[in-house]
Every structure is written in structure tokens, then in C-alpha cells.
Amino acid sequence: MARLLVVEDDETIGAALVRTLTVHGHDVVRAPDAATALRAPDDGAFDLVLLDLGLPDADGLTVCRELRPVLPDAVIVMLTARDEEMDVVLGLESGADDYLVKPVRLAELHARVAAHLRRVEASRPGGPTRLGDLALDVASRQVTVAGRPVHLRPREYDLLARLAARPGVAVSRDVLIAQVWDEHWFGSTKTLDVHVAALRRRLEAAGGSRMPEIVTLRGHGYRLDAPQA
Ligand code: CA
């Protein structure tokens, strides 16, 4: 899963972009203007930025130039209108990696974003996520507790991977259901709780003295807390 920044002032387009990228498993932050976009990296780096060139408070090209040194590893994809071809050249010179012409087809957007993220992922040193005694290797879908393999069912693994991607950050029930099941899932949301309960039992049974905790957030969702140091 990747962390994405969507800079788009148009409410309808912005919401559609966020929805598409969220259901494909990404953490998406939306910025409706340049000022919000430039502040967004204060809360953590992004893997990819979708940047509209026409923003209410600043030129998208300026935002691109200012974000580039702050997010040296991020892929920056500009969103341009059809008549802004000159801007594409300037955008690439300002540090953007790619561009999409509006109106953006959501399927194409997803495919393009996924391709960029695969390339970024492949160039990164691998290795499992570690939270105390728990280690989770996304590449191989293997989970170990204190070095011993733990067998999880596919949905349990997906849930754990989604929560472990950003420890300490609340994930809503809607997002978990959309990302672990799918966006068109109409079953009972009770299924989510049943799977979380099963996941907790399996992790508990695995032993381990320093384990992260799956915290229930009533009326919202879940959060995985790293063990106390
Ligand atoms: Ca705009």
C-alpha cells in the first residue's frame, strides 16, 4: 500500500480520484489548494502525488517545484487540461515525472499509478515490517512471531497487512471493508469483526512477549498499536 497525495481543487474530480485510489488499497490525503498541499508532507512522506495544475491559490508548477525537494522519492503526476500542452513541458522541467490529461479516465489513472508504484517498489530495498516480535513480509505474505511462522487465512493476513502498514493510525471500517474485501461488497459488516477477532486469537496463540495490539475504535474502525518500547 502506498501513501498518496491528491492535489485537486475541483470537489467532484477530487472526490472521484480519492475514492478510486482508496478502493485500490492506497492511503490517500486530499489537498484542495496549494497551501494545504505544501503542508501535507509535514505529516509524513508520500509515494506519489497527483497534482492539478490549475489551483485557486497558486500555480501547480510552483507547487511542483516546491514539493520536489521535500519529497525527493515521490512520483509526481500532473493533471492537465487538454489546452495546457505547454504546461506539460514546463511541468516535467519543474520535477514532475508524468502527466495525465483531463478528463482523466479512472481506470487509466489507476493503471498508471499502479505502474509507477511498482517501479518505485522494485527500486526500494525490501525487508519485512517489524513491530516488536511480529514481522510481516509483504513480498512473500509471511508472518512470523518471534521468528516462528504464523499461519493466517488470506483475509486475516490482508487485514493485518493493512493495519500494520501504518501503525498507530486509525483505519475506518469502510476503508477496511473496501480494501480487504472489495468496493462492491454488500455483506454484513459483522464479517469484519469476526475476522479481526480471529486474527487477534491467532496472534495471541503465537505467543511473543512484545506484540502490537489491535485496538477497537467504537463507531469508527481499528488501529494497530506498536508494542511499548
Ligand atoms: Ca483545478
Side-chain angles (χ1 to χ4, degrees):
M1 172 196 339
R3 189 158 187 264
L4 272 47
L5 175 63
V6 171
V7 188
E8 170 61 73
D9 57 313
D10 184 290
E11 203 52 51
T12 309
I13 299 175
L17 296 175
V18 169
R19 197 165 49 240
T20 299
L21 296 167
T22 302
V23 297
H24 283 103
H26 304 301
D27 269 317
V28 187
V29 174
R30 158 107 191 272
D33 50 46
T36 313
L38 293 172
R39 272 198 313 271
D42 294 350
D43 297 327
F46 291 93
D47 301 295
L48 185 141
V49 180
L50 278 181
L51 176 60
D52 178 31
L53 284 186
L55 296 168
D57 54 340
D59 183 350
L61 293 173
T62 308
V63 176
C64 186
R65 269 191 294 271
E66 290 187 30
L67 280 180
R68 186 76 280 174
V70 182
L71 297 169
D73 301 325
V75 176
I76 300 181
V77 180
M78 297 185 312
L79 302 175
T80 72
R82 218 172 273 286
D83 56 0
E84 291 172 333
E85 263 172 51
M86 200 51 220
D87 287 346
V88 168
V89 177
L90 290 172
L92 298 175
E93 285 173 358
S94 303
D97 300 281
D98 194 8
Y99 67 95
L100 282 166
V101 176
K102 287 184 181 181
V104 176
R105 287 169 49 241
L106 294 175
E108 186 193 353
L109 167 85
H110 165 61
R112 199 80 76 84
V113 165
H116 278 299
L117 293 174
R118 272 196 303 277
R119 185 175 52 73
V120 169
E121 192 59 44
S123 68
R124 224 177 247 167
T129 301
R130 287 182 193 283
L131 293 162
D133 286 341
L134 176 78
L136 183 143
D137 186 44
V138 176
S140 63
R141 288 178 69 92
Q142 277 187 327
V143 176
T144 59
V145 169
R148 291 182 299 274
V150 177
H151 176 71
L152 298 179
R153 286 153 66 203
R155 300 288 197 209
E156 294 163 2
Y157 169 82
D158 291 338
L159 268 174
L160 180 63
R162 178 62 186 78
L163 292 169
R166 297 191 65 204
V169 175
V171 186
S172 75
R173 301 178 64 86
D174 288 349
V175 165
L176 282 172
I177 287 169
Q179 296 182 350
V180 173
W181 281 269
D182 75 78
E183 59 198 286
H184 305 299
W185 193 66
F186 293 113
S188 161
T189 63
K190 196 88 194 126
T191 303
L192 172 61
D193 304 301
V194 171
H195 279 78
V196 169
L199 175 58
R200 280 187 177 127
R201 278 197 304 276
R202 285 184 203 272
L203 292 179
E204 214 173 280
S209 50
R210 293 184 61 248
M211 290 291 284
E213 184 191 358
I214 302 172
V215 179
T216 303
L217 304 166
R218 286 184 70 88
H220 182 74
Y222 293 97
R223 188 183 70 216
L224 187 72
D225 282 352
Q228 303 296 325

